[in-house]
Each structure stands twice: as structure tokens, then as C-alpha cells.
Amino acid sequence: MTSTMDSSRAFVKDVKRIVVKVGTAVVTRSDGRLALGRLGALCEQIKELNSQGYEVILVSSGAVGLGRQRLRYRRLINSSFADLQKPQIELDGKACAAVGQNSIMALYDTLFSELDLTSAQLLVTDNDFRDKEFRSQLSETVKSLLSLRVIPVFNENDAVSTRKAPYEDSSGIFWDNDSLAALLALELKADLLILLSDVEGLYSGPPSDPQSKLIDTYVKERHQGEITFGDKSRVGRGGMTAKVKAAVNAAYAGIPVVITSGYSDENILKVLQGERIGTLFHQDAHILDPFNEVGAREMAVAARESSRRLQAMSSEDRKKILLDIADALEANEELIIEENEADVAAAEQEGYEKPLLSRLALKSGKISSLMNSVRVLANMEDPIGHILKKTQLADGLLLEKTSCPLGVLLIVFESRPDALVQIAALAIRSGNGLLLKGGKEAKRSNAILHKIITEVIPENVGERLIGLVTSREEIPDLLKLDDVIDLVIPRGSNRLVSQIKESTKIPVLGHADGICHIYVDKSADMDMAKQIVLDAKVDYPAACNAMETLLIHQDLVPTGFNELIDNLRSEGVTLYGGPRASSLLNIPEPNSFHHEYNSMACTIEIVDDVHAAIGHIHQHGSGHTDCIITNDSEAAEIFLRQVDR
């Protein structure tokens, strides 16, 4: 079976150890008898996973139900006709568990043996997990079984449980097999927990209600108060309510969970192939699925409709939205820092360079600066409705050129989460709809900032004024929407900008090359020059306006030249030289002066004067960002007049 992996389920690529929990409603039929077909399909899927190298741990319900069915039959055949006329006393649950555990394990053993697999039964109680030595030994035993390719089958040992009423008492470390499965996933360091149910996943209401919708990804902040649960399981302890509680606990402890139907004979395999089935619970759910339930066109159309409502608002109303955003950022500062620290930690683990980590980090001071910037923008003059030009065409006929919003903007920006706030604030002040795609390194930061901002947008405008695109795979679809999106602004690498320009009919405001020069003139203040040169190269070398070529006046070679070079080297910058600089410094020449490094590297060349520097920039530059450092006003004027900036 082949399938396409959905981007929101890409985490399955790293899964090795899986806990699968099968509920009583899956194990048994409606009449209480075993559902042999479903159990056979379950065992066949586990066999397939085992052969692929996965480590599978099974948690199975159904023992009490199976035991009850068998004991009822036994009581029936041992009863006289008179006995049957008397009120029937409910069977003891612990006795049912004792009989059922033996029976269901015998069945698993038979089914797995037919598939050339060995299974092992492990019965546990709530009290067992209060013992640290037990937990340690349990982990070692399971590790040993998995190394031998044996399938551990867990169940709560209801036969000897001290729980007062197994179907009602929900106290303790775990309270049913759903919570046991979540606990085992944590204890045994599983990579994924799959909870098999008798429905396709978690619905917004009772699955029997035609208005209920299957929830693709459970976002606690969005769904917790919106879901209406139906009746409890016909045979188990808690039904979907128990599954959701267990899934939330496991997911927020770092273990992804999928609730899906156990009635399908391939759903476990489909989950591991990254198919979008069932309901996903994930600690990054708010990142994985903020708008995944709508397509690219729907997202863009929603932004356009919201932008038109925004444009109809008064300047004071748009100003108030920005002030509310600033207040919301202030109120949620701790949450923003928490999410951002998670991004920074992940980036450090991936080995990102210090300059990028610095740009990624959102410290308290930077958040305060953002809040202040939003408030300043709110109090600036309204950019909409300015009369830019008037032309009288005839008596009584006046033509006016007036500033107005652009419409819907698609902005792809670098791994700098504060840019999201700045762009969103500018869009709201200018009455534009917005689709944002930030760097993957800042996914948690971008998600929480987007959530905070959109939550304060008034209902009469709509939170979908600003859409957050979460994967690169969505960009090609958006670039086709030239009838909805009015302008694309890519901020990133040369390759990214070029690809976007070649892939869309939408106007693109972007600069493909960022070959930026600094020319240090002979009259320059060298202390100033050292600071500017270092900051331009080292602060964020991947930025499109980072220095790529340093041009130095020849008169500085005997004086400040070496100090500039030593400072760059001490920061770890790799140096390449033009013909004059390479021979002087004994460094390699670049393959081309027209080269954007986007890294801790740059080209150095020595030039005769400001005119030679300008000639070099005209020949090899890209017209992005070029500057002169000088105390000579005449040289500065020549440079500013002749260089395209």
C-alpha cells in the first residue's frame, strides 16, 4: 500500500516505539462476543510493523466483558428453571476479569502464533506504579521482550485491583486502560500512542449527530470548551471522554497521540505512513494545524473578505486594534518567551550559528520594544485616504490620486519572529489582509504571536484577516492565486526569491541578490569603521543586507587595514580576496565577485579611491544595499549620487 505523507503528520518518520491501545468496543461485538475479524486484522498489522522494525506494545481491554459473557453462559447452563425465574444478581467484576484475562490472552497467543510472533502477558495495577523499583523492573522487562521481537500485551489486573468500583473509581495513577496506555507510553519512552476506538476519531459532538465534524488536530485552546461528548462506551469505562483525557496528558508530555477507528483493517499502518486519519493530539498542535482545515484559496479569500471589512473601519477603530495587540503582547509576555525558548533550544540542538540564534531569540527587552513600536504605529497618521495628487481635467471635473490599501499580501520572511508582529501591525494600520510564512526555526514563536494577535481582532473584521502558513508545501498553491492575492513580498535567500518570481503571475516585490558592499574611505573614523563592518557581517550573515564585499582605500593598508582584517578573523569570518588583497593577505580568491555568501564569509579588495569603489560596485554589485564610511563630505556626496542604493 502506498500513500502520501501529510506535512502535519511528518513526525511519524522518527517513530520507533509504539503503544497501541485497543478498546473493549473494538475487541467485542455488540452482543458481547469477541470480534475475531477485527482482532485478526489488529494482529496482522502488528505483525507487519514488527517485520518493519517497529517496537509495538499492546494495551488491550475486553477481559471483563469477555469474562462476563463466559460466566453468564456458565451460570445459565448450571441453573435450574426455578433459578432462572429469580432476579439475576450482577456478576462480580473481579471474577469476570479473572476469567476474561485468561481467555483473551489465549486468543492473542493463538493469533500471534499463526503469524509466527510471540506475545507476553503483563498484568499491572495502579498500586504497582507507586513502587519505583517496580517501574524500573517493568522498563527492563519490556526492553528485553522488545529486543527479542516479542509483543508485550498489557491489561489492568482488575481481578486483584484494590479499586473500589473499577467502572466508577477514577482516582489513582491511572484509572482505566486508556490512562494506562498513556502512562505506559511515558514510562516506556514510546514515540507514539495510538488509541483505537469504535469511531473514526474525536468529533465536535456525538458522532451520530449529522452536524458533528471530525476534528483533524486537537488544539486544546480551541476545542476544549467546544466539544460535546456523547454517551459513554457501551462496554468500556469512559468512552471518548477517557480517551481524550489520556491523549491530552500524553501529548502535552511530549508523546504524539492519534485516536482512530479500530474497525478498519489498516488504520494503524496508515497512521505510520503519515496519512491524515483520525484525530491527532500533539504538543505542537497549535503550530501543526492553525489553518490546516482550510485550503489555500479559502485562506486567501477569507483574508480578502476580512481586509475589506477592515478598510471600512475608521482610522480610530484600526488604531484601537493595534493598541489592543500591544496590550495582548504585554499580557502574554511570559507565554511568548516560553514558546520562543523552545524554538531557540531546538535551533541550538540543530547546530545553528550564534547570529541566527540571536535573531531568533525574543527576550523581554525585545518584546517591550515590539509593544512600543506597535503603539507608536497606532498613533501615526493614517496612511489610507491621503490625496497624493489633484488634476483638473475640465470645469467641474477633478481627478484625484488617493492612497489606498493594496489588498491581500503574501509575505515570506526569515527566522525572526518579531518580524511577524511588525508586518501584522503594518498590515492592519494600512488596511491590508495578510498571509504569513515564517521560518521553520521560529514555528512555535510565530504560532503563539499569530494566536495572540488574531484573538484581539474584532469579530466584525474576523481573525482570518491574518493567515499563518505552516509549511512550504502550501506556498505553490498560494502562488497560483493571482485573482485573490495582490502582492508577494519574499524576504530570504537569492534562491527563494528567484523561485517565487518564476512561479507566479502575482506581482513580486523582492530582491533576488543581496551582494552588499561597504567601502571604507581613507578619511574614515577607524573605530566607527570596525564597529560597522563587524555588525554588517557578523550580526546576521544570512540576511539579504549583510555585507558580502569589503572595499578598502589603498591609503589605509599601512594603518587601519590589518586591524579590520584581524577583527573579522577573530569573529570566525572566512576571508577571500580580490587580486590585490589576496596577494597581500595570502588568502584565496573567490570564484566570482558577484557572489552572495549568506554565511560567515566575505570578499575583501583594495581600491584606489572612491571612484574605483563605485566602479567595482557597478560591475559586481546587485543594487541592494551599499554604503560608504567616510569623514569626507565630498567623497560621500559622490558615492551617494552615483551608486544605486
Side-chain angles (χ1 to χ4, degrees):
M1 183 176 67
T2 58
S3 63
T4 301
M5 181 174 294
D6 188 270
S7 60
S8 67
R9 306 293 172 99
F11 66 87
V12 298
K13 293 184 294 185
D14 301 319
V15 169
K16 169 75 173 175
R17 182 172 293 181
I18 311 155
V19 173
V20 177
K21 188 268 176 179
V22 57
T24 304
V26 177
V27 172
T28 61
R29 303 185 312 191
S30 57
D31 61 2
R33 296 179 181 274
L34 283 172
L36 293 176
R38 290 198 289 269
L39 281 174
L42 170 69
C43 293
E44 286 180 353
Q45 290 182 86
I46 292 174
K47 162 67 176 178
E48 177 64 25
L49 294 177
N50 186 271
S51 65
Q52 292 179 20
Y54 290 100
E55 297 176 346
V56 185
I57 299 161
L58 180 62
V59 179
S60 178
S61 298
V64 175
L66 179 58
R68 179 174 286 107
Q69 190 265 334
R70 292 200 169 194
L71 287 178
R72 279 175 178 168
Y73 172 75
R74 184 55 50 193
R75 184 168 65 180
L76 176 64
I77 64 173
N78 289 331
S79 298
S80 66
F81 181 76
D83 291 334
L84 294 176
Q85 303 306 307
K86 300 175 183 177
Q88 298 297 301
I89 300 172
E90 182 60 34
L91 293 167
D92 176 46
K94 297 188 184 302
C96 294
V99 172
Q101 286 162 0
N102 181 60
S103 301
I104 199 166
M105 198 60 216
L107 180 60
Y108 277 124
D109 186 60
T110 300
L111 291 172
F112 281 128
S113 294
E114 288 294 318
L115 297 168
D116 198 26
L117 278 181
T118 301
S119 58
Q121 183 180 32
L122 294 99
L123 296 173
V124 295
T125 66
D126 180 80
N127 282 330
D128 291 333
F129 285 89
R130 302 179 192 277
D131 185 340
K132 290 183 179 179
E133 290 186 10
F134 167 81
R135 294 162 72 166
S136 176
Q137 185 57 57
L138 177 68
S139 181
E140 288 300 314
T141 300
V142 172
K143 181 180 178 182
S144 178
L145 290 171
L146 292 174
S147 69
L148 296 168
R149 310 298 290 274
V150 173
I151 308 299
V153 182
F154 279 87
N155 194 353
E156 180 178 6
N157 193 356
D158 288 322
V160 296
S161 173
T162 57
R163 203 184 301 277
K164 295 178 181 178
Y167 285 82
E168 299 172 7
D169 185 359
S170 61
S171 62
I173 296 175
F174 69 89
W175 47 92
D176 56 19
N177 278 328
D178 291 310
S179 56
L180 171 60
L183 176 61
L184 288 171
L186 293 169
E187 284 288 328
L188 304 175
K189 296 180 173 57
D191 304 307
L192 175 66
L193 170 60
I194 300 175
L195 301 176
L196 296 178
S197 178
D198 56 351
V199 291
E200 294 300 321
L202 175 62
Y203 284 80
S204 56
S208 58
D209 185 347
Q211 301 300 316
S212 296
K213 294 183 179 180
L214 179 65
I215 295 171
D216 174 87
T217 302
Y218 180 87
V219 180
K220 188 176 181 181
E221 296 82 359
R222 187 196 315 169
H223 295 121
Q224 190 172 32
E226 296 179 359
I227 297 171
T228 303
F229 290 102
D231 296 334
K232 293 174 70 175
S233 169
R234 60 177 170 83
V235 280
R237 297 190 191 174
M240 189 56 72
T241 307
K243 285 179 176 56
V244 170
K245 186 175 181 181
V248 168
N249 289 342
Y252 280 79
I255 298 171
V257 183
V258 175
I259 298 178
T260 188
S261 173
Y263 282 26
S264 168
D265 57 4
E266 290 188 330
N267 270 2
I268 298 175
L269 299 178
K270 288 178 180 178
V271 170
L272 270 297
Q273 289 165 348
E275 289 194 37
R276 202 164 173 171
I277 63 168
T279 301
L280 171 66
F281 294 73
H282 197 286
Q283 64 179 358
D284 293 334
H286 59 297
I287 298 167
L288 294 173
D289 193 52
F291 279 101
N292 280 348
E293 294 178 6
V294 299
R297 171 168 287 278
E298 188 177 345
M299 190 190 301
V301 168
R304 176 177 284 283
E305 291 174 350
S306 296
S307 71
R308 287 170 175 162
R309 292 192 290 270
L310 179 69
Q311 293 162 21
M313 299 181 82
S314 68
S315 177
E316 283 301 310
D317 287 338
R318 280 183 279 110
K319 172 182 175 179
K320 184 179 184 305
I321 295 174
L322 291 184
L323 294 176
D324 288 344
I325 287 172
D327 292 343
L329 292 171
E330 187 171 15
N332 290 278
E333 183 173 337
E334 289 185 8
L335 180 58
I336 295 168
I337 291 174
E338 180 182 332
E339 294 295 291
N340 179 251
E341 286 176 345
D343 280 333
V344 173
E348 287 175 338
Q349 284 189 333
E350 291 292 326
Y352 285 100
E353 295 178 347
K354 287 183 179 179
L356 188 141
L357 294 174
S358 177
R359 297 289 287 247
L360 179 60
L362 279 177
K363 302 296 184 184
S364 180
K366 191 179 282 189
I367 296 173
S368 296
S369 177
L370 274 176
M371 293 184 294
N372 292 334
S373 298
V374 172
R375 289 179 176 127
V376 168
L377 179 63
N379 290 302
M380 289 178 66
E381 188 178 7
D382 189 357
I384 300 176
H386 279 265
I387 298 174
L388 306 175
K389 184 179 179 181
K390 286 185 179 181
T391 304
Q392 185 169 348
L393 301 179
D395 286 342
L397 182 58
L398 191 65
L399 178 66
E400 292 183 347
K401 181 180 180 181
T402 308
S403 62
C404 65
L406 289 166
V408 176
L409 314 179
L410 169 59
I411 300 182
V412 183
F413 59 99
E414 72 277 17
S415 306
R416 192 164 61 86
D418 49 325
L420 185 147
V421 178
Q422 296 163 348
I423 295 167
L426 286 167
I428 291 170
R429 193 68 178 109
S430 57
N432 290 295
L434 196 57
L435 302 175
L436 292 167
K437 170 65 179 79
K440 63 180 181 180
E441 300 83 6
K443 63 180 182 179
R444 294 178 70 107
S445 308
N446 288 337
I448 193 61
L449 289 169
H450 174 261
K451 180 176 182 292
I452 290 167
I453 290 170
T454 54
E455 281 184 347
V456 302
I457 295 174
E459 288 185 8
N460 61 336
V461 174
E463 64 178 17
R464 290 167 73 180
L465 172 73
I466 302 173
L468 184 63
V469 183
T470 56
S471 72
R472 283 196 173 188
E473 287 75 14
E474 295 171 270
I475 295 294
D477 290 336
L478 290 166
L479 292 176
K480 296 174 185 175
L481 304 178
D482 56 294
D483 60 325
V484 184
I485 298 174
D486 299 284
L487 182 66
V488 181
I489 305 177
R491 296 187 58 185
S493 68
N494 183 331
R495 182 182 176 188
L496 171 67
V497 177
S498 298
Q499 283 178 342
I500 288 178
K501 284 184 173 181
E502 294 167 1
S503 305
T504 186
K505 296 178 182 178
I506 305 169
V508 178
L509 180 61
H511 204 289
D513 292 312
I515 303 166
C516 305
H517 296 74
I518 289 181
Y519 166 57
V520 183
D521 190 46
K522 63 180 180 180
S523 65
D525 179 324
M526 291 311 296
D527 288 334
M528 178 193 296
K530 284 184 289 184
Q531 292 181 48
I532 293 173
V533 167
L534 276 182
D535 183 75
K537 180 70 262 181
V538 173
D539 180 60
Y540 187 32
C544 57
N545 62 345
M547 182 190 77
E548 304 293 11
T549 300
L550 174 62
L551 303 175
I552 300 175
H553 194 289
Q554 61 182 359
D555 289 359
L556 294 177
V557 172
T559 54
F561 178 71
N562 288 333
E563 201 169 350
L564 275 173
I565 302 305
D566 290 344
N567 283 351
L568 288 169
R569 280 176 166 159
S570 67
E571 292 292 334
V573 179
T574 302
L575 304 179
Y576 298 90
R580 295 172 71 175
S582 62
S583 61
L584 181 65
L585 299 171
N586 193 27
I587 55 177
E589 291 191 27
N591 293 327
S592 170
F593 277 121
H594 192 87
H595 181 70
E596 186 176 5
Y597 293 99
N598 290 128
S599 64
M600 291 283 281
C602 71
T603 300
I604 297 171
E605 182 57 315
I606 299 164
V607 294
D608 292 340
D609 53 24
V610 66
H611 297 287
I614 293 168
H616 182 103
I617 292 169
H618 284 166
Q619 184 176 355
H620 304 292
S622 61
H624 190 294
T625 305
D626 303 292
C627 81
I628 180 173
I629 303 173
T630 184
N631 280 333
D632 184 340
S633 58
E634 184 180 350
E637 187 60 34
I638 292 170
F639 187 92
L640 294 174
R641 194 167 55 243
Q642 296 186 25
V643 172
D644 293 331
R645 304 178 299 283

